[in-house]
Amino acid sequence: MRVFGVTGWKNSGKTGLMERLVSEITRRGFTVSTLKHAHHSFDVDHAGKDSYRHREAGASQVILASRNRWALMSELRDAEEPSLDTLLGKLDPVDLVLVEGYKRGGHDKIEAHRAATGQPLIAPTDETIVAVASDNSPEISVPLMHLDDTTAIADFILARVGL
């Protein structure tokens, strides 16, 4: 399975870029899965729902299934957060997995950058960032594309991963 990441600071356009890339790359006939890292506690479940009640009662894993989709929720219960490789191993095979976040992961990444955030580029100090998608023209030593040029970014990623 080929893996490529989208990274950047908060409000840099990562999620919008991910959404556009998934749409563009699947439109081209490739299968894509995504994996997003959250730095905070999150819940895909809601208080009072049966699956929430199962987890609150102490279940380690809960599968919620219907004829349209299924979801597996695993409670860490103070266990260590699983590695990116561990999580990738839980995905069904696809042509490409796009990873949002995981700045410290060893996989190739494109940095989403918006000048308005006031944040510096990560690329100059991170060799896993192989390109930058920005709304301005910073001087960098890796390929630079406009943040809104989804076609060019998708072309770059697909070439980089060999698709």
Side-chain angles (χ1 to χ4, degrees), residues 41-77:
S41 180
F42 70 93
D43 212 332
V44 295
D45 220 353
H46 302 288
K49 296 293 184 183
D50 294 349
S51 53
Y52 182 94
R53 292 170 58 192
H54 296 179
R55 288 187 305 119
E56 287 299 302
S60 295
Q61 291 188 306
V62 175
I63 290 180
L64 181 60
S66 75
R67 65 183 176 138
N68 295 323
R69 72 188 52 89
W70 67 272
L72 169 63
M73 294 172 281
S74 296
E75 289 295 316
L76 294 178
R77 308 251 183 244

Side-chain angles (χ1 to χ4, degrees), residues 93-119:
V94 292
D95 296 318
L96 177 64
V97 178
L98 290 173
V99 177
E100 182 178 341
Y102 285 95
K103 282 185 188 101
R104 291 172 186 77
H107 57 286
D108 284 352
K109 300 172 201 75
I110 188 166
E111 178 179 356
H113 177 261
R114 285 192 200 278
T117 67
Q119 294 287 350

Side-chain angles (χ1 to χ4, degrees), residues 82-159:
S83 70
L84 176 58
D85 286 340
T86 298
L87 295 171
L88 289 169
K90 295 183 181 298
L91 292 173
D92 292 338
V94 292
D95 296 318
L96 177 64
V97 178
L98 290 173
V99 177
E100 182 178 341
Y102 285 95
K103 282 185 188 101
R104 291 172 186 77
H107 57 286
D108 284 352
K109 300 172 201 75
I110 188 166
E111 178 179 356
H113 177 261
R114 285 192 200 278
T117 67
Q119 294 287 350
L121 283 169
I122 301 166
T125 60
D126 186 339
E127 63 188 33
T128 66
I129 295 176
V130 297
V132 171
S134 182
D135 62 357
N136 65 357
S137 299
E139 295 214 8
I140 53 169
S141 61
V142 296
L144 173 66
M145 289 152 272
H146 194 279
L147 186 58
D148 294 329
D149 192 349
T150 307
T151 301
I153 297 167
D155 288 344
F156 176 84
I157 291 170
L158 292 173

